Amino acid sequence: MEALLAGVRAHQRRQLWLEGAVLGTGTLLVLALAGGFLALVWPLLGRWVLLLTLPAAVAAACAWSLGFARKMVGDDVRTARLVGQRRPELSLDVLAAVELRRGEGAQHHSAELADAFLSQMDVRTRRVSPASVVDGARVKRAGQGLGALVLVVGVVLALAGGRWRAGAVKAWEAGRDVEASAQLEPITGDIELTYRYPAYTGLAPRTVAGTNGEVSAPSGTEVLLKTRSDREVERAELSINGETLPLTVTGNRELTGSFVAKKTGTYHFIFYGSRTKPLAVGPGIALTVEADAAPQVALLTPATELEVDPDQEVSLKYTASDDYGLGELALVYRMPGSAQEQRIPLKREDGRRTQGLHAWKVHTLNAKPGDRITYYIEAKDNDAVEGPKRGVSRTLALRIYSAAEHRRAALEKIEAMWGRLVDHLAERLESPDRAKEKQLERIAAGQAVDASGQQLVSDMRALAQELSRERDVPVELVSALNNVSDGMVRRLTTTQDLRRIYLRTQKMRGEDWGTGARLTGAVNEEITETEKNILYLESLLDRQKLEALRELAEELNAQRRDLTQLLEEYKKSPSDEARQQVMQQIQQMRERIQELVRRMAELRKSIRDEHLNAEALEEMMKDQDVSSALDDVERLMREGKVDEAMAKLQELSMQMDQMMESLNEAQQEFGGEQYPELTEKFGKFMEDLQQTVQEQQQVSEATKALRDKARQQNRERISERGKAMKDDLMRQVEQVQKSYSELGSERLDSRSAAPMAEAQSQLENLKNALKQDDFDLASEAAQRAEEMAQQLAALGERQRQLDEMFGNPPDAREQSAQMAQRLQRDANRVQDVNQQLQSLFPQPGSQMSAQDRQQLQQLGQQQQSLEQRAQGLRQQMEEMEQTAPLFGKEAGEQMEGIGQRMGEAAQRMQGQDPGRGYGEQQAALDGLRRFQKQMRESQQGGGKGGLPLPMGAGGRGREGNGNDPRDKVELPDEDAFQAPKEFRKDLLDAMKQGAPERYREQVKRYYEELVK
């Protein structure tokens, strides 16, 4: 029992000391925090608070522990009562036992009973822990309070920690200042300083008199100082950052000396008398070593990362500056996979600032397509004291243009568009538009699908336009996107229109009046169109992936050839260094080949064409096969078996050749099995097109012969009659021009502006053509001028009628009537001019012989047959369009235009007009040739019997007119499209602009020669 009581008292004392420690820690934190902030205002007071922080904390802890110990830790009776209170099972038994041991009340009980009771209590108290008697809640509450205080202090320091540190430093320096002021006082007068700067700075020596001695100079500067002591001294020293230097003493008062500024700090004077003990020590004087800043470098252009061709030249514009002078300037770049940077020295100007332009020839880097080369401009200063300092510009990158990467990016965009097309088809297949029993709300909800479809079409066209501006994109896919969007927008528009009609009919009449069935039919047609587009686009995507697969295989084969060449060079001149280079090259090629094989495997898996037989490529395209072959080559090289290593590479070469052959065959035949009927129709279409071109050329040549014969007979007659009426025609034209100039278009309504401008332009062309005796061109200008003059006369008459109808003032009506009469008079004059010019030309065929007219009639019949053949070609295009979007709207319009030209040529020839008939024939023939050329270009790389590619694949995306400048072209004559007339018209328009006076006659003669 005594042990329990003693243990409880000991536990109470430990808890009180813990509470005291917590209180002392809290006191320490509060006083330290308060002292730091207090020092910001009263440094000395804050310093004393900080100094008393630790003693105050210890005092608080001891006072708490000892004071409460006397109050709370008592004798056995008080402790027994505490045990009884904390352990109810003992109740007052412990207190009774304590009293029995003291002998209180022993006369009332027997000794045997008392001993038995005490023995029993000893046994019971041994099972009680002293910790369970003492309440630990006070310690826990104290700990929680300390934790909260620590959190508050942490927040305060996080928010204002800088101010607290500044206060603490200020408190510390306050004590030092007091100490220093008590010990050190100035012991010299004004100090004269002379700076001798390092040679690399280019600065001249400088003397500053009357200073307090503070020194500020670049590192390495020699500082000479001169001053006078405040007392007589035997000798004197300078203490500079702990290093002592002697001073020269003259006359016991004049002091001179020097030191080299190396490190920022302080220096002070020390005076000596006859004894060794210092006579006086001066205060510290600031010594500041100015840092030599690193050069400032800026790369002005390029502004961002560039993609360049391997043979391109990149212009780098840069500036660099330094506070004292530049030493070196270089372009620093790093090739991909290289651990070392390469440097190209750049030109610089002598001095502190330079700027320049460097032409960086990319081909000297021997970079590969797709490589990303990082670079920056580096400058070093001429610091000869601490060593050159380095400054760099921002780091940019050059990416070497990679056609494969561009095609891959385009392929990903188009495939994403293909996925959206599939989603649109799924929505149409699940659409309620196809149900027999239609619900108005669900049909109205289909407008969202219509809108998303229109957005899809818009995005397709935008993507096609974006890709058409790039190089090396899969052009057949771009053409297919255009064709698909053309067909899809027609179907979508039909569906939208019928949906609106159905909804309007239902709301107004309560019945659909057959519009529901028409809507269902339109949706079904759109589904059929979309399915066709999806399948064809899928085939084109797979074909392009197969092409990418073939390109990767070629690159893989090229890597193998490089390794073979390297081994051959090593065999000719073996050495350890060369062998190490071979091993490094093998490692680099292994990594590259593994990457290529991985990409090839991904492409092969993504090809969805079930007709592609890739089993022959499976083994070759496994990563482990190529890696194992390279492992064998590396092992044989380590063993010195060069011949066996080359033989192993030869085996790999044979396997790669076999793989390339399989890929080429697969690409040539791709799609033929999937679209056999389309392939057959396409082949027949190309044969018919070729035959049509040949026959049209034959008919055109025969027509040209008849035209030339008739033209020769009429040329002299037209010229003689035209010259006879030329002056009268010129006079009438000038009268109309003057009338139009005086009238202008402001007196008519806004619609007269364009006809008036066109009439004046055509009259000017007519006058210039008459001056050059070009009556053919003059007749055409007169026809167009008459059309515009009649329009102006009609507008004038309309204005007169409106004034009469609305009852405008008499003067306004009179003015409009005069203007209408004037415009009509001018129109009659232009009509008379046109009729006179048209009378110059004989009726078509009037000068031809009967035999020539018969031959022209036969040629007209042949031309009609060719027109029917063109219509047949258009029908074939429509049939193929039912299977795949090969042509699109533009191609259809082009073929229709060719047929129309053929029909017009047949009509001209039946009207005995071989000249204009030949012009229409030439237009049709040129259209056929361009159409045929586009078709052939679109099929380049398609292979015989393979998948037909969409038209325009070879023509879209080209620059200019899409023609190859190496192609032979036929020079047109004046009847082909009437092109020479248009050319002469442009020249006549140019003549209207005039020329400088001194060159006017030469320019006139030049134009006259051109229009002949």
Side-chain angles (χ1 to χ4, degrees), residues 151-192:
L151 181 61
V152 172
V153 171
V155 171
V156 172
L157 291 179
L159 296 177
R163 292 176 55 82
W164 183 89
R165 286 191 295 272
V169 171
K170 198 171 182 180
W172 176 258
E173 290 177 351
R176 296 181 60 185
D177 293 343
V178 172
E179 181 181 358
S181 62
Q183 296 180 357
L184 301 179
E185 296 179 354
I187 58 176
T188 63
D190 292 343
I191 302 174
E192 179 182 291

Side-chain angles (χ1 to χ4, degrees), residues 137-403:
R138 289 168 56 88
V139 177
K140 291 182 181 180
R141 286 193 295 270
Q144 291 173 353
L146 179 62
L149 180 62
V150 170
L151 181 61
V152 172
V153 171
V155 171
V156 172
L157 291 179
L159 296 177
R163 292 176 55 82
W164 183 89
R165 286 191 295 272
V169 171
K170 198 171 182 180
W172 176 258
E173 290 177 351
R176 296 181 60 185
D177 293 343
V178 172
E179 181 181 358
S181 62
Q183 296 180 357
L184 301 179
E185 296 179 354
I187 58 176
T188 63
D190 292 343
I191 302 174
E192 179 182 291
L193 299 175
T194 300
Y195 297 96
R196 294 179 179 175
Y197 299 102
Y200 80 89
T201 64
L203 299 176
R206 181 170 65 97
T207 299
V208 183
T211 72
N212 62 356
E214 293 184 357
V215 175
S216 179
S219 177
T221 300
E222 182 182 7
V223 182
L224 285 73
L225 50 83
K226 182 178 180 181
T227 187
R228 180 180 177 84
S229 66
D230 63 349
R231 71 200 70 188
E232 293 187 354
V233 297
E234 295 291 333
R235 61 188 181 92
E237 295 178 344
L238 275 181
S239 178
I240 307 171
N241 293 329
E243 180 182 357
T244 303
L245 296 176
L247 294 174
T248 301
V249 180
T250 303
N252 294 332
R253 298 290 292 270
E254 303 295 331
L255 308 177
T256 57
S258 66
F259 65 91
V260 177
K262 298 179 180 179
K263 182 181 178 182
T264 297
T266 59
Y267 73 94
H268 59 269
F269 292 93
I270 305 176
F271 294 164
Y272 292 91
S274 58
R275 301 180 180 178
T276 58
K277 185 177 179 181
L279 183 64
V281 178
I285 303 174
L287 169 60
T288 304
V289 176
E290 300 173 356
D292 184 359
Q296 300 293 317
V297 189
L299 183 58
L300 304 180
T301 59
T304 57
E305 180 173 331
L306 290 182
E307 184 177 57
V308 298
D309 291 328
D311 57 349
Q312 191 171 339
E313 189 176 274
V314 179
S315 295
L316 305 177
K317 187 176 181 180
Y318 56 87
T319 61
S321 61
D322 186 68
D323 46 4
Y324 297 118
L326 294 169
E328 298 179 6
L329 196 63
L331 167 64
V332 185
Y333 66 92
R334 186 194 300 273
M335 299 296 293
S338 174
Q340 297 181 348
E341 294 181 331
Q342 306 294 325
R343 281 173 169 77
I344 300 176
L346 300 177
K347 295 181 180 180
R348 61 176 179 85
E349 302 171 359
D350 293 335
R352 301 183 180 183
R353 177 178 293 275
T354 186
Q355 61 181 3
L357 188 67
H358 176 69
W360 192 9
K361 295 177 172 58
V362 182
H363 70 86
T364 60
L365 304 178
N366 295 322
K368 297 178 181 179
D371 284 350
R372 187 174 183 273
I373 304 162
T374 58
Y375 66 95
Y376 58 88
I377 304 297
E378 177 189 68
K380 293 182 179 180
D381 63 13
N382 56 1
D383 190 347
V385 176
E386 298 180 349
K389 295 179 178 61
R390 174 175 176 265
V392 298
S393 70
R394 58 198 173 101
T395 301
L396 292 177
L398 290 181
R399 182 174 293 277
I400 305 302
Y401 177 83
S402 171

Side-chain angles (χ1 to χ4, degrees), residues 878-951:
E878 292 176 353
E879 291 178 0
M880 287 186 283
E881 279 282 303
Q882 299 299 320
T883 306
L886 293 180
F887 300 100
K889 180 180 179 181
E890 182 180 346
E893 293 175 351
Q894 187 175 352
M895 183 56 69
E896 289 178 0
I898 292 171
Q900 291 174 2
R901 287 285 192 173
M902 289 180 174
E904 292 174 3
Q907 292 178 5
R908 294 285 187 180
M909 294 166 70
Q910 290 173 357
Q912 304 298 311
D913 189 354
R916 297 192 182 278
Y918 176 71
E920 299 294 344
Q921 286 175 337
Q922 286 297 101
L925 182 60
D926 187 77
L928 283 171
R929 286 173 175 166
R930 283 187 285 111
F931 188 92
Q932 185 183 37
K933 182 178 180 181
Q934 291 177 7
M935 292 297 297
R936 287 175 176 173
E937 289 177 345
S938 67
Q939 304 309 308
Q940 289 179 1
K944 184 177 180 181
L947 176 68
L949 302 181
M951 181 180 175

Side-chain angles (χ1 to χ4, degrees), residues 978-995:
Q978 292 76 45
K981 294 180 183 178
E982 297 299 329
F983 173 63
R984 289 181 295 182
K985 175 181 176 298
D986 292 339
L987 292 177
L988 293 173
D989 289 338
M991 289 175 64
K992 290 186 274 186
Q993 300 177 4

Side-chain angles (χ1 to χ4, degrees), residues 476 536 540 543 546-547 550 663-673 675-676 678-680 682-683 686 935-950 953:
E476 64 269 20
Y536 186 67
L540 290 180
R543 180 184 178 278
L546 186 61
E547 171 65 19
R550 190 182 63 81
L663 285 172
N664 289 331
E665 291 178 358
Q667 186 182 22
Q668 292 292 326
E669 299 175 359
F670 185 86
E673 296 181 3
Y675 292 96
L678 177 63
T679 303
E680 181 180 355
F682 189 81
M686 293 298 291
M935 292 297 297
R936 287 175 176 173
E937 289 177 345
S938 67
Q939 304 309 308
Q940 289 179 1
K944 184 177 180 181
L947 176 68
L949 302 181

Side-chain angles (χ1 to χ4, degrees), residues 408-422 463 477 481 541-542 545 603 606-608:
R408 186 161 56 249
L411 200 64
E412 291 176 356
K413 294 178 181 178
I414 296 174
E415 192 160 15
M417 201 65 66
W418 177 86
R420 290 177 59 185
L421 190 60
V422 173
L463 178 60
L477 282 168
L481 283 179
L541 286 168
D542 289 344
K545 291 176 181 178
L603 278 174
S606 65
I607 294 179
R608 294 176 290 267

